[in-house]
Amino acid sequence: MGKLYLVPTPIGNLDDMSFRAVQVLKDVDFVLAEDTRNSGKLLKHFGISTPMFSHHQHNEHKSVAGAIQKIQEGNDLALISDAGTPGISDPGFLLVRNCIEQDIEVECLPGPSAFLPALLLSGLPCDKFHFEGFLPHKKGRQTRIKELAEKECTLILYESPYRIVKLLEQVNEFMGSRRNMSISRELTKVYEETIRGTAQELLEIFKEKNIKGEFVVVIEGKSW
Ligand code: SAM
């Protein structure tokens, strides 16, 4: 029986790839990747020539069965995502659960993920936090924001550049304009930036400028 490795990859800066991540990706028999073209560039950069298979949210159920079979046949597999840690707002959970059910050993390497640096950079309490990931785009979005508004710990969300202004409007409406917030964009990349302020201040900034990139939104918990 083989083994499953969960291998985090950089969220921007390639120097964040760990020595162990490179070694595991070289040693395993197959790499399961969200986007084999995208990950192909990463593997090439580190001189890794391990064969790849695709494992993304649209084929996840089907590829889990194939992956389990390969491991049961004695192959070691490594799961990577496009960026950061697999399973964190990316495919991974289903495969891990199936491996556990089949008594397959799973090892997770620690490594890059966008939410932890954003939490630390926010300056908001990081002793207790809630990681939400992406909110639903339409149905259930407002209800979920109202639920999050009641939580007393720091909140962490992922958001796309297309919905960031909408999210800020909703935070102002349902959580209050005085909530302290922080938005980190392009973490570990050339244009990395963290913008801090109240919900009202951040809405004004983001409405005025067409700020692009990948964002992590951190919101102060309810304190009144
Ligand atoms: N698995 C990844 C992780 O461990 O962070 C998250 C993947 S999720 C599909 C992509 C989202 O993560 C982006 O929309 C953004 O919210 C956040 N993200 C990823 N890289 C980022 C970066 N360099 N700076 C800021 N946010 C980032």
Side-chain angles (χ1 to χ4, degrees):
M1 183 101 91
K3 184 172 166 178
L4 174 71
Y5 291 89
L6 305 166
V7 181
T9 56
I11 56 168
N13 189 331
L14 291 181
D15 287 348
D16 290 334
M17 187 81 169
S18 76
F19 293 119
R20 187 147 84 99
V22 173
Q23 198 55 54
V24 167
L25 293 176
K26 279 185 177 170
D27 288 348
V28 291
D29 299 290
F30 299 102
V31 173
L32 293 174
E34 232 186 317
D35 179 340
T36 48
R37 240 181 34 186
N38 181 51
S39 296
K41 291 180 205 151
L42 180 85
L43 266 53
K44 194 168 171 222
H45 179 86
F46 289 102
I48 301 161
S49 52
T50 310
M52 272 191 294
F53 282 96
S54 87
H55 178 78
H56 49 75
Q57 63 180 26
H58 305 295
N59 77 350
E60 203 178 354
H61 284 268
K62 220 170 122 187
S63 84
V64 161
I68 296 280
Q69 195 186 338
K70 282 205 159 45
I71 298 173
Q72 285 171 333
E73 285 166 359
N75 298 294
D76 286 339
L77 262 61
L79 176 67
I80 59 174
S81 62
D82 276 351
T85 300
I88 301 299
S89 296
D90 268 332
F93 151 72
L94 207 60
L95 180 58
V96 172
R97 189 175 66 182
N98 273 267
C99 283
I100 294 166
E101 280 168 7
Q102 299 293 326
D103 279 330
I104 292 169
E105 196 184 337
V106 182
E107 191 170 331
C108 180
L109 277 62
S113 194
F115 76 89
L116 271 182
L119 171 64
L120 273 290
L121 288 167
S122 73
L124 294 167
C126 52
D127 54 338
K128 289 189 185 66
F129 59 87
H130 170 89
F131 173 70
E132 178 71 8
F134 291 103
L135 287 167
H137 296 176
K138 291 195 177 99
K139 203 165 170 279
R141 184 176 171 99
Q142 198 166 304
T143 312
R144 187 66 190 142
I145 294 175
K146 285 180 185 169
E147 284 166 4
L148 292 175
E150 295 305 312
K151 291 195 184 291
E152 290 174 5
C153 59
T154 302
L155 309 167
I156 310 171
L157 286 89
Y158 284 165
E159 191 51 284
S160 89
Y162 310 107
R163 275 178 291 272
I164 191 78
V165 171
K166 182 178 171 192
L167 175 65
L168 286 166
E169 285 169 348
Q170 289 174 315
V171 170
N172 272 274
E173 186 177 352
F174 302 114
M175 299 191 182
S177 55
R178 285 181 298 142
R179 285 259 187 152
N180 290 308
M181 295 184 64
S182 161
I183 299 184
S184 290
R185 70 176 197 104
E186 299 290 271
L187 286 160
T188 79
K189 301 182 193 176
V190 180
Y191 296 107
E192 168 169 348
E193 177 179 28
T194 293
I195 309 165
R196 304 173 189 86
T198 63
Q200 173 78 47
E201 286 163 351
L202 290 197
L203 176 60
E204 278 160 23
I205 293 169
F206 275 77
K207 255 184 166 172
E208 203 174 295
K209 283 197 229 164
N210 183 17
I211 302 178
K212 293 210 166 64
E214 295 195 282
F215 302 108
V216 183
V217 179
V218 185
I219 310 171
E220 180 185 24
K222 184 180 179 179
S223 59
W224 56 85

